Amino acid sequence: MTRRAVIRGVGHYLPERVVENAEFEKTLDTTDEWIKSRSGIERRHFAQDGDTTSSMATKAAEHALADAGLQISDIDAIVLATSTADLTFPSAATMVQHQLGMTHGFAFDIQAVCAGFIYALANANALVTSGQANRALVIGAETFSRIMDWSDRSTCVLFGDGAGALIIEAQEGNGTSADSGILATDLNSDGRYRELLYVDGGVSTGTTGYLRMQGNQVFRHAVAKLAATAHTSMERAGVTADEIDWIVPHQANIRIIQGTAKKMNLPMEKVIVTVQDHGNTSAASIPLALSVGKARGQIKPGDLLVTEAIGGGLAWGSVVMRW
Ligand code: UT7
């Protein structure tokens, strides 16, 4: 028998304010056509005054608990991926823990930017399979609208806010690729590329700072690294591309999503795509896509999923799981 982390529930939250591409035409030298054709993005949600990373994460977690039919007392760990925690510290995860009324167990943040949810899920999987936790809430939540330079058309049109949450639970499996739950993970980073995507503020500057990105340089790395990490995870899981039901990619750019699927020899019919409605929500994008994919009736119990992401660091990785 093999201890596996199986998926018990999923949920998401998107702030109410929706901003269409055309809005940016009023203040920037840009067009709906440019944004749509270069990125696939049509609209995104932006946090309003009352929304914070932790408040959105809490709402996503509540939806995941309801989906799983569980209470917060059933959870013993919260792992939250974000690069936009409400404060420098304490962690957004402990704020969520408090907002959910959880006074037991433990909660912590993971910071791997757009790959954050992959890192959080891989680490939560390790906690569950090693017996340090039985049920974990794994959350990705971001308010990137608060680190946008609204005069920089090359970045501010690309990002959005939101949160998604997954609940994983320890169950016995047979140790084969037919098991439910997380079957394999792969994590990578390379700090030589840190200047391609970073925020120019933090404790060293005394400011929050703004996101800076050499988008076309990140793009150059994305397809090859994403296809390679997906291949590694699939090999570790003992599955082949023709067994995959869904690719659930990080939602940064439809051209990266299409290029990666092609390199993996999988058709776009097998890809969950939400980038048109959410923009790039960094660590929130994959759990949002999982939740929306389930709500649309695309992801069903027993489906084999490969999920992958790349972002600032550079940091990238993938997870293969059976839903
Ligand atoms: O999630 C974290 C990881 N991040 C990513 O995965 C993002 C990866 N990169 C991308 O998605 C794409 O590189 C972008 C969507 C950011 C840009 O697309 P691109 O095809 O790589 O365009 P580019 O950066 O090479 O820019 C092409 C042109 C430039 O003008 P010139 O130099 O050719 O005259 C830009 O100044 O497009 C211009 N441009 C814009 N034009 C209209 C840049 N932003 C805009 C804009 N509207 N908003």
Side-chain angles (χ1 to χ4, degrees):
M1 297 295 257
T2 302
R3 195 172 152 105
R4 294 282 196 193
V6 306
I7 288 90
R8 270 296 305 269
V10 65
H12 72 270
Y13 175 78
L14 288 158
E16 270 172 41
R17 184 170 166 231
V18 178
V19 174
E20 302 285 337
N21 288 348
E23 276 291 304
F24 292 100
E25 295 178 358
K26 296 177 189 165
T27 52
L28 292 169
D29 180 14
T30 191
T31 59
D32 171 41
E33 176 51 30
W34 190 95
I35 301 168
K36 226 174 355 195
S37 63
R38 296 295 179 117
S39 71
I41 298 164
E42 297 174 30
R43 61 193 65 81
R44 73 288 290 141
H45 293 246
F46 282 146
Q48 293 172 287
D49 284 351
D51 296 313
T52 63
T53 291
S54 72
S55 75
M56 295 191 298
T58 298
K59 287 176 180 140
E62 285 167 348
H63 290 142
L65 285 166
D67 183 54
L70 293 171
Q71 309 291 320
I72 189 60
S73 53
D74 298 319
I75 302 294
D76 41 30
I78 299 175
V79 185
L80 192 157
T82 190
S83 303
T84 47
D86 303 11
L87 300 173
T88 303
F89 72 77
S91 65
T94 52
M95 294 187 183
V96 171
Q97 182 187 28
H98 173 65
Q99 286 164 31
L100 290 171
M102 176 177 167
T103 52
H104 63 280
F106 60 96
F108 64 96
D109 285 359
I110 283 202
Q111 213 275 44
V113 203
C114 296
F117 188 77
I118 298 285
Y119 272 65
L121 194 53
N123 278 279
N125 178 53
L127 290 171
V128 168
T129 55
S130 65
Q132 293 174 81
N134 285 317
R135 283 199 202 93
L137 254 170
V138 191
I139 308 172
E142 302 278 18
T143 41
F144 264 46
S145 64
R146 300 213 167 104
I147 53 166
M148 286 298 115
D149 173 352
W150 297 110
S151 66
D152 178 8
R153 66 176 184 172
S154 72
T155 54
C156 73
V157 302
L158 301 173
F159 293 89
D161 302 331
L166 202 63
I167 295 173
I168 57 173
E169 173 184 277
Q171 283 183 18
E172 292 298 333
N174 295 319
T176 72
S177 63
D179 284 352
S180 290
I182 295 169
L183 300 177
T185 64
D186 178 54
L187 301 179
N188 311 268
S189 65
D190 190 339
R192 280 179 301 173
Y193 302 117
R194 65 196 177 280
E195 283 170 9
L196 300 187
L197 177 48
Y198 66 100
V199 170
D200 62 2
V203 288
S204 62
T205 63
T207 60
T208 309
Y210 296 110
L211 181 146
R212 306 294 175 201
M213 176 167 74
Q214 296 175 43
N216 49 12
Q217 297 300 312
V218 177
F219 197 111
R220 270 192 337 108
H221 288 277
V223 171
K225 287 185 166 51
L226 291 172
T229 181
H231 181 75
T232 301
S233 279
M234 283 159 53
E235 209 166 58
R236 283 182 189 154
V239 302
T240 53
D242 53 307
E243 294 174 71
I244 297 291
D245 294 295
W246 296 107
I247 304 178
V248 187
H250 171 48
Q251 310 281 324
N253 186 314
I254 191 67
R255 293 185 293 140
I256 295 174
I257 293 171
Q258 288 164 340
T260 308
K262 191 168 175 207
K263 220 173 165 64
M264 292 169 68
N265 286 321
L266 285 164
M268 282 303 288
E269 290 71 42
K270 291 196 169 190
V271 185
I272 304 288
V273 181
T274 57
V275 68
Q276 69 282 1
D277 296 326
H278 302 164
N280 183 346
T281 58
S282 186
S285 95
I286 287 173
L288 270 164
L290 289 169
S291 184
V292 169
K294 185 190 170 189
R296 283 180 190 157
Q298 293 175 301
I299 301 173
K300 297 193 188 65
D303 281 356
L304 186 64
L305 275 53
V306 57
T307 178
E308 29 83 350
I310 186 167
L314 293 175
W316 68 101
S318 59
V319 174
V320 171
M321 64 183 120
R322 192 174 296 285
W323 197 255

